[in-house]
Amino acid sequence: MRRAVIVALSGLLAACGAEPIEAPGPLVLTPDAEVEDVTRDWAEQWSEATGLEVVVGTGGVPVRALDRVMYEGKEVCGTTTLTDGAPVDIQIDMTPPARCVGWGYMVGHEIGHALAGDPGHEDDGLMAQKPAIGTVLTVDADYVCDRVGCPSP
């Protein structure tokens, strides 16, 4: 359905002389060794769910495994720093506070923020405030694709 809408909009815009809608370029993630395998697994899930290219490689957005992550003076489970909607840093608390889910879920959750270029949350799924799901659901793909546009997965 998303692809049909994007294709239809691209055709309409082209007919009006506007540039066609294109999905964003690849999201390259450069994880610390402690989170590399988990990052690779989530990158594959996000790519499959959204049709966007998410890869692990050099020179990309750092995915840092830290003993403590702070945001606005509070210890948090993880955080994604965005500049003008573009991800510049992902931090994962490897010894998260008790209120957090496991750090593996947080890697997937923060990649979702990086893809969407948005710090918001959904009510359900991996992109909820407290994700408790180990897979990217349709609601999570929609969270990203509604913000950046996605090709058909």
Side-chain angles (χ1 to χ4, degrees):
M1 175 64 176
R2 276 192 305 267
R3 179 162 173 65
V5 171
I6 289 171
V7 169
L9 285 174
S10 293
L12 180 61
L13 290 172
C16 296
E19 291 295 315
I21 296 171
E22 291 185 27
L27 173 62
V28 179
L29 302 167
T30 305
D32 288 347
E34 299 93 323
V35 294
E36 184 171 350
D37 289 342
V38 170
T39 301
R40 193 174 306 282
D41 290 345
W42 282 113
E44 290 174 10
Q45 281 196 51
W46 276 110
S47 291
E48 186 175 317
T50 63
L52 298 172
E53 186 178 2
V54 185
V55 296
V56 171
T58 59
V61 177
V63 180
R64 300 189 295 144
L66 303 172
D67 290 332
R68 187 173 184 189
V69 177
M70 302 295 290
Y71 179 75
E72 295 182 349
K74 297 178 187 172
E75 187 173 8
V76 295
C77 312
T79 188
T80 299
T81 303
L82 301 166
T83 300
D84 297 327
V88 295
D89 185 53
I90 296 174
Q91 298 178 13
I92 304 299
D93 193 329
M94 299 301 287
T95 55
R99 67 179 171 15
C100 299
V101 296
W103 62 262
Y105 292 126
M106 292 313 302
V107 173
H109 178 89
E110 296 304 330
I111 291 172
H113 287 305
L115 280 168
D118 188 286
H121 293 98
E122 292 292 319
D123 293 331
D124 299 306
L126 182 64
M127 294 312 299
Q129 185 73 36
K130 283 188 160 186
I133 188 83
T135 190
V136 178
L137 302 175
T138 300
V139 67
D140 304 312
D142 289 346
Y143 168 85
V144 170
C145 295
D146 288 349
R147 288 159 176 81
V148 299
C150 295
S152 179

